[in-house]
Amino acid sequence: MSSYSTLRIKKIIQETPNAVSLVFEIPEELKNDFTFIPGQFLGLKTQINGEEVRRAYSISSSPQDKDIQISVKKIADGTFSVFANEKLTVGDSLEAMIPDGKFQLKPNNSSTKNYMAFAAGSGITPIMSMIKTVLSTEKQSKFVLIYGNKSSNETMFFKELLELQTNYPERLYIDFIYSQENTEGAQFGRIDKNIVDSVLKNKFDNIDFNDYYLCGPEAMINSVKEVLSENGVKTSNIHFELFTSSTEISNDKDTDGLSKVEVIVDDESIVIESDKKATLLDNILKADIDAPYSCKGGVCASCICRVVEGEVNMPVNNLLTDDEIEEGLVLSCQAYAVSNEIKIDFDDA
């Protein structure tokens, strides 16, 4: 379940001065393993300065493409993002898990739908995969993109998006929003309540949208979700993915001591002692168990497991639905042991 495959970098594209796309060549024998649904991510692992680093990056290519592409925006003091932008070269290899993630747009060749997406900064990466897939597979569907950045120079996939808009003028509509640049044909500001209201009530009020996809900073997502709800959009039609969460995790239950935790992963059962003041994942990794994870921030879903026995506390949850929680699923990077004995299963999650 947590196994990795070696993928070679076939091409590196400089998307902006601070962002690159890494194009991985997928060997023929791994083609089936690395199929994906638009919106999903690739979990990566490598050694940087002698330490293992794991990260998850959304796939920006289409499932119809021969190779898989991820896009990485350089973040100040970001270990992997700086490494990807400054050190990686064509021919280098990284370890990758099979694509995963709950943020999905499942295309249907016979569907005719209207989609709207709100993206900010590198939040465009999974949306880019969705746009290209919808345009190529759902021949009558329309896609509206509201895309916020600092400037046109900092806009990932800028030229590619303009080309797609030219090739599909009746099906792809893009509103560029710039917070630090006044440009003809783009709006000045940020994706906020006024922008969303204007899009829904004025510019595209004649279109009934089936689904809305949101990706970017937590504040933007929360703002857009609120305005969509105010305008009568059902929660089930709003799909979002956080790239970072502003919520600092802490156990909101006054528990201490140790819990005996049975961990099932890759068909093995291992019993460990878990400090109730640390997350389940931190305790598992401390015991040298190779459980699946990437971000450790509760935004990628790599570390989902099922609580088979016992009680845990998950004070932060930005991904799982109420039904999934009812089924016993938790994010191990956000969950703490409560009862003295617990059994969790990564294989059945």
Side-chain angles (χ1 to χ4, degrees), residues 117-131:
F118 294 85
S122 58
I124 187 62
T125 50
I127 304 297
M128 193 67 185
S129 178
M130 294 176 180
I131 291 172

Side-chain angles (χ1 to χ4, degrees), residues 254-324:
D254 186 17
T255 55
D256 53 25
L258 299 176
S259 177
K260 186 172 75 172
V261 180
E262 181 182 355
V263 182
I264 299 174
V265 60
D266 293 335
D267 294 324
E268 290 188 30
S269 174
I270 308 115
V271 177
I272 65 171
E273 284 192 332
S274 180
D275 183 350
K276 292 182 179 180
K277 290 190 177 298
T279 66
L280 289 174
L281 181 62
D282 283 342
N283 281 288
I284 290 167
L285 297 179
K286 186 179 179 180
D288 291 326
I289 298 174
D290 190 21
Y293 77 93
S294 288
C295 73
K296 295 184 72 175
V299 296
C300 78
S302 296
C303 68
I304 290 177
C305 64
R306 185 181 302 277
V307 178
V308 180
E309 296 175 7
E311 181 186 355
V312 305
N313 176 40
M314 187 171 59
V316 176
N317 170 41
N318 292 308
L319 286 173
L320 300 177
T321 65
D322 291 341
D323 287 342
E324 288 170 328

